[in-house]
Amino acid sequence: FHVSYHGCEYYSIELSSVGVDGKLLKGYGDLNVVKSITNPSSYATSLTGFTMTLTGTSAYGDTINQTAVTNASGVASFSHVPMGTYQVTEKGTASYWDVPASGTVNVEPNQTSTFSVNNIYKTGNVELTKKIETAPENAYNTAAEAEYHYNDGLAGFAYKLSGTSDSGISVLKYGVTDKDGRLTYANVPIGTYQLEEIKASAVPVDV
């Protein structure tokens, strides 16, 4: 680039991201998608194995469609991504997770961007209400009370909830009814379970 003004010579060089071959030099960055879990239950869950996709068009017109899987720390890493704005989407997650919506992230040259994703482990409550029908005539004696826990109130009836959650967790919970005959098992992982009335003596002492 050359300019001549009143006999003086001026030269100007504009620095840009252009290589010696005249092609545009692309800038690349990294992206870490960081998984966190909200788990209302008392059962352990893992951050490993969640599949994340990165899609969109880079600032240079490249079509990007990449996949990464979270490690034990819950991080899915995308490396050497062209500068641009992309969509992060979680794919193929099991039905017992509440999956967040896709989000937008910017990847800048020579930087590591972070995008956070939170999943909620699905749980529900099991609510039981005890009702008493007419007891056998011989129910009200010491032996029968110890064996079957008959009484004329609604409190103290014992139950066991057991089975396997949809996520493969073995679930075992005990409980006893309150004075109104109610018993609630809170934050049970979603699944199909058996509910069984048991002897009061079979309930662990720490319940």
Side-chain angles (χ1 to χ4, degrees):
F1 184 81
H2 171 246
V3 175
S4 176
Y5 178 71
H6 289 182
C8 297
E9 301 292 332
Y10 295 88
Y11 294 88
S12 174
I13 299 175
E14 181 179 351
L15 299 177
S16 63
S17 298
V18 179
V20 293
D21 58 358
K23 294 183 178 179
L24 185 66
L25 295 178
K26 298 179 181 179
Y28 294 86
D30 298 328
L31 170 65
N32 287 333
V33 179
V34 181
K35 167 71 64 180
S36 62
I37 287 175
T38 299
N39 181 4
S41 81
S42 58
Y43 297 91
T45 52
S46 174
L47 291 166
T48 305
F50 291 89
T51 300
M52 304 294 173
T53 63
L54 183 69
T55 57
T57 303
S58 76
Y60 314 104
D62 306 300
T63 298
I64 302 299
N65 189 349
Q66 299 181 11
T67 299
V69 178
T70 58
N71 59 21
S73 299
V75 179
S77 296
F78 297 88
S79 300
H80 202 63
V81 180
M83 180 178 69
T85 301
Y86 302 99
Q87 287 289 114
V88 176
T89 306
E90 189 168 328
K91 295 285 189 180
T93 305
S95 60
Y96 47 82
W97 290 105
D98 186 10
V99 179
S102 300
T104 302
V105 62
N106 293 320
V107 175
E108 301 293 342
N110 305 316
Q111 296 183 24
T112 299
S113 301
T114 301
F115 184 82
S116 299
V117 178
N118 179 262
N119 288 60
I120 300 174
Y121 186 58
K122 293 181 181 179
T123 63
N125 297 338
V126 178
E127 298 180 350
L128 178 148
T129 301
K130 178 70 176 179
K131 294 183 179 180
I132 296 179
E133 303 294 340
T134 303
E137 292 182 1
N138 64 346
Y140 299 101
N141 59 69
T142 302
E145 174 66 19
E147 179 71 14
Y148 299 105
H149 200 76
Y150 285 126
N151 57 36
D152 56 0
L154 294 171
F157 287 91
Y159 289 87
K160 178 177 73 173
L161 178 76
S162 61
T164 303
S165 73
D166 287 355
S167 61
I169 296 173
S170 180
V171 174
L172 178 61
K173 290 178 173 286
Y174 295 91
V176 295
T177 56
D178 63 15
K179 63 181 181 63
D180 298 315
R182 295 190 177 94
L183 167 62
T184 299
Y185 296 97
N187 294 320
V188 179
I190 63 171
T192 302
Y193 301 97
Q194 290 183 328
L195 188 61
E196 176 186 1
E197 186 169 349
I198 60 176
K199 300 176 185 178
S201 59
V203 178
V205 294
D206 59 344
V207 174

